[in-house]
Amino acid sequence: CLFFFAFDMMTFKAAVLLLLLAVVSATKEVLLETTFDISPKDQTDTGFKATDALQLYLQSPKMKWLRSFHMILSSATSNKPQRVALMAFKDTQNWAEFEEDHLVKTHALFDHFWLNSRRVLWHQVAQTQSYPERPRSMEKPGGFTWVFKYSIKDGKEDAWKNFWNDKIAAVISTLNDNEGFVESHTYSSNNMLKSYQYMLMWEFLGMRELSEALYENEPMQVILDALPHYCSDWATSVLAPPADENGKQIGFFYPAAGADPPAEGEKEL
C-alpha cells in the first residue's frame, strides 16, 4: 500500500512539505513512538476506517508531524510488532491535550486497526557531539533508520560518558564521509522506563549507507562490543520507510497542523 493507511492524494502531496528539512526541529520535542501490527480489515461494520482517526490527527494543532516505518531488524527478545509510527509534539502539554482531544478515535484505531500496540513517550535531549546533517530530496527521501535503545548500569554513568565521548569521535568521522547519513537525534524516557533509558536514532538515505555505517564499520563495532560492560539493557533495530505500489520508497514527514513553518531559505514543494 502507499502508506500503512491510504491517504487521499491531496494529503499525500502535502507530505512533501517537510521533505527537505534536514533537521526536524531545533526544539526539544516530545516523540510518541507507537509499535503495532496492522489489521487485515479495511474498515469496521459501521464504516469506520483508520484514515478517519489519522486525518483528524493531522488536523490537530497539537501535533507537529507523523512518520511511518516497517521493521527490518529487531534484537528484542519478546514478540515485537512490525510497524512503527512516530508522532512529534512541541512538548508534553501539547501531547496530553492531543490525547484528550482524540480519546474516542484513538481507542477505535487501536481496537480495530493498530493491533498489539505499544506506546512510549520520548523526550528529545541535546547531543554532546556534532553530527553531520544532510538534506533529503524527492529522489532520496530517506527514512532508513537505525535505533539504539539502552540503559546504563548503576555506577557506570560517568564511565559510559567518557567511553562514549572517546569512541564516538571515530564513528562520526566515518559518518562525515558517508554521503547517505542524514541526521542524528537522542531521546530520554525521563526514567519512565526501566529497560531503556535512552534512544539514539540515526537516519540514512538508503539501506546500503546504513549498512556501511553500522555493520561494516570497525569503530562502531568497538562501541558495540563494549556494551555488556556499561549497559544493563540494550537493543537495536532497523526501520525502513514504506513504499508505493511501484516499489519507490516514501520517507516523507506527514505534517500536521502544528508543524513548524519552513525555516528561512527552505523550500516548500
Side-chain angles (χ1 to χ4, degrees):
C1 63
L2 185 63
F3 196 33
F4 57 75
F5 49 84
F7 275 138
D8 57 47
M9 188 54 63
M10 181 177 296
T11 303
F12 173 70
K13 289 180 179 179
V16 301
L17 289 176
L18 297 183
L19 178 61
L20 296 184
L21 293 180
V23 180
V24 176
S25 174
T27 62
K28 293 183 178 180
E29 292 179 336
V30 171
L31 192 69
L32 179 62
E33 176 198 26
T34 303
T35 56
F36 61 98
D37 292 318
I38 199 164
S39 170
K41 63 182 179 181
D42 296 326
Q43 63 182 34
T44 66
D45 295 339
T46 61
F48 176 76
K49 300 178 181 180
T51 49
D52 296 335
L54 296 166
Q55 291 283 13
L56 286 176
Y57 283 3
L58 294 180
Q59 294 169 16
S60 172
K62 310 293 172 51
M63 180 191 283
K64 299 181 67 174
W65 52 261
L66 181 152
R67 294 186 88 180
S68 74
F69 303 87
H70 297 265
M71 188 82 67
I72 289 184
L73 292 178
S74 173
S75 64
T77 55
S78 60
N79 293 333
K80 191 172 184 65
Q82 295 303 301
R83 305 293 181 103
V84 179
L86 300 178
M87 305 178 193
F89 304 86
K90 182 179 179 180
D91 51 34
T92 53
Q93 179 178 340
N94 276 268
W95 162 73
E97 292 174 355
F98 170 87
E99 294 288 5
E100 189 170 355
D101 292 344
H102 298 88
L103 193 60
V104 174
K105 295 298 185 184
T106 296
H107 277 303
L109 178 66
F110 288 99
D111 285 346
H112 297 287
F113 301 106
W114 289 11
L115 309 179
N116 306 317
S117 60
R118 302 175 184 178
R119 310 176 86 206
V120 178
L121 196 65
W122 297 94
H123 302 259
Q124 189 170 0
V125 297
Q127 300 184 122
T128 58
Q129 298 80 26
S130 178
Y131 288 88
E133 298 170 357
R134 296 185 177 88
R136 305 170 181 86
S137 68
M138 286 293 295
E139 293 73 26
K140 292 187 175 182
F144 293 90
T145 305
W146 181 67
V147 182
F148 172 41
K149 298 178 181 179
Y150 62 99
S151 292
I152 304 169
K153 289 181 178 179
D154 291 342
K156 292 285 186 178
E157 291 84 1
D158 290 340
W160 165 256
K161 181 179 179 180
N162 293 334
F163 170 80
W164 177 263
N165 289 338
D166 179 48
K167 300 302 181 183
I168 196 62
V171 177
I172 292 177
S173 178
T174 67
L175 296 179
N176 287 328
D177 297 330
N178 188 323
E179 293 298 326
F181 181 80
V182 177
E183 63 185 2
S184 171
H185 291 285
T186 301
Y187 299 88
S188 169
S189 65
N190 281 4
N191 290 322
M192 291 290 185
L193 296 177
K194 177 181 182 296
S195 297
Y196 304 124
Q197 298 170 337
Y198 302 100
M199 177 173 69
L200 175 66
M201 303 184 79
W202 287 356
E203 182 177 347
F204 296 82
L205 294 177
M207 191 63 196
R208 183 68 191 90
E209 293 89 345
L210 184 152
S211 177
E212 179 182 329
L214 296 162
Y215 297 98
E216 306 161 36
N217 188 336
E218 185 174 346
M220 190 67 207
Q221 192 61 49
V222 171
I223 293 178
L224 297 175
D225 289 344
L227 294 182
H229 181 70
Y230 296 101
C231 299
S232 56
D233 299 279
W234 70 91
T236 63
S237 57
V238 174
L239 309 179
D244 63 18
E245 62 270 19
N246 297 316
K248 183 177 180 180
Q249 69 190 62
I250 305 172
F252 303 129
F253 293 88
Y254 284 76
D260 293 331
E264 185 177 352
E266 295 283 358
K267 294 193 300 182
E268 290 191 6
L269 301 182

